[in-house]
Amino acid sequence: MNRSLFISFEGIDGCGKSTQVKMLMNQLDKNDIKSLLVREPGGTPISEEIREVLLKNRDDKMAERTEALLMTASRAQLTQDIIIPSLNSGLIVIADRFKDSTLAYQGGGRGVDLGFLVQLNEFATYDLDPDITFFIDITSEEGRKRQSNGDLDRIENAGLSFQEKVREQYLKLAHMFSHRFIIIDGVLSPDEIHQKIWSEIQNRKSL
Ligand code: ADP
């Protein structure tokens, strides 16, 4: 392999990202390919503290701009401390959410200006983009059904119409960034989705 690969997973809550990330890590491991998983928000001590503030259910309302700035603050620390050094050392980095989540959630979901968020993202990530972004697409109803067992965090609790706005924004992003976005139908079985993801990665890189 010549150089490392940066892969992100995106989609509304419950779409199956964590499931696919685990399957991909196992597959890479079986092929003796070293990889590192990061999840957002979080992934460094500072970013994990920011995560707690962001996701805690609370009585007072967090302002949309506060949410956008905290998300990107967490990402800046993670990008500088973990993602860039890991890519430079040759590891494949797999991100369970990255910059597109801000555009979809704070942009599409909360209504913060998209152009501003694009710039904020560039600042936070030192202009780093994933090589491939897998967008696992499901409806908000399907997402809610899959989450019915667990305790929901503040953003997961924002409601179905919020999740639907986020999904619509993801579909627009897939169009805007079509050179790196791959849309995957999230109602397929986990195995079917994994096969699509794995063959896509093999096509991009001679692993
Ligand atoms: P996310 O990380 O995107 O929130 P998860 O991977 O945690 O989503 O999946 C949410 C729930 O949906 C879990 O209970 C998981 O077992 C289930 N699930 C994951 N992928 C699929 C799939 N392709 N079809 C049906 N259910 C799925």
Side-chain angles (χ1 to χ4, degrees):
M1 228 180 72
N2 318 329
R3 68 170 183 87
S4 54
L5 194 64
F6 182 25
I7 303 166
S8 66
F9 283 80
E10 297 283 355
I12 65 170
D13 298 300
C15 72
K17 292 181 308 308
S18 317
T19 305
Q20 290 305 320
V21 161
K22 269 184 225 131
M23 293 173 86
L24 178 57
M25 301 282 293
N26 287 341
Q27 182 70 264
L28 290 167
D29 201 42
K30 265 195 257 163
N31 286 272
D32 284 327
I33 299 167
K34 288 196 169 46
S35 61
L36 177 89
L37 170 64
V38 293
R39 67 141 189 201
E40 286 209 343
T44 74
I46 290 174
S47 306
E48 288 292 328
E49 284 180 40
I50 299 173
R51 178 187 176 93
E52 271 182 43
V53 176
L54 272 165
L55 298 187
K56 195 169 94 176
N57 285 301
R58 53 198 313 140
D59 295 331
D60 50 343
K61 183 182 176 306
M62 183 178 290
E64 284 83 8
R65 293 179 185 198
T66 308
E67 188 176 287
L69 290 167
L70 286 175
M71 284 287 182
T72 46
S74 161
R75 179 168 309 128
Q77 196 72 35
L78 178 70
T79 305
Q80 179 188 276
D81 288 359
I82 308 284
I83 299 179
I84 290 175
S86 301
L87 288 170
N88 288 342
S89 76
L91 287 176
I92 290 192
V93 176
I94 299 170
D96 188 343
R97 298 197 177 285
F98 195 56
K99 60 203 309 181
D100 301 304
S101 286
T102 293
L103 304 181
Y105 280 77
Q106 283 71 53
R110 305 283 193 210
V112 178
D113 179 73
L114 200 72
F116 174 72
L117 290 177
V118 168
Q119 278 192 310
L120 186 61
N121 258 339
E122 296 317 317
F123 178 71
T125 62
Y126 304 82
D127 293 341
L128 178 70
D129 277 336
D131 298 300
I132 312 177
T133 298
F134 291 109
F135 165 48
I136 305 178
D137 186 33
I138 56 167
T139 62
S140 51
E141 288 83 5
E142 181 65 25
R144 176 46 58 97
K145 261 191 257 159
R146 291 187 190 179
Q147 288 184 308
S148 51
N149 299 327
D151 290 337
L152 301 184
D153 67 39
R154 191 180 60 85
I155 295 178
E156 288 166 340
N157 261 324
L160 276 189
S161 71
F162 174 78
Q163 294 285 341
E164 201 49 48
K165 282 192 265 180
V166 173
R167 179 192 179 204
E168 278 163 23
Q169 185 64 49
Y170 268 127
L171 289 164
K172 289 186 198 157
L173 296 175
H175 188 67
M176 276 166 71
F177 306 120
S178 57
H179 58 287
R180 65 176 167 87
F181 254 79
I182 298 182
I183 305 178
I184 299 202
D185 182 356
V187 299
L188 297 172
S189 74
D191 276 337
E192 285 171 312
I193 295 176
H194 172 68
Q195 282 316 321
K196 283 181 185 288
I197 288 171
W198 184 235
S199 68
E200 198 60 52
I201 290 173
Q202 285 173 308
N203 284 344
R204 299 280 175 114
K205 284 272 150 209
S206 45
L207 294 175

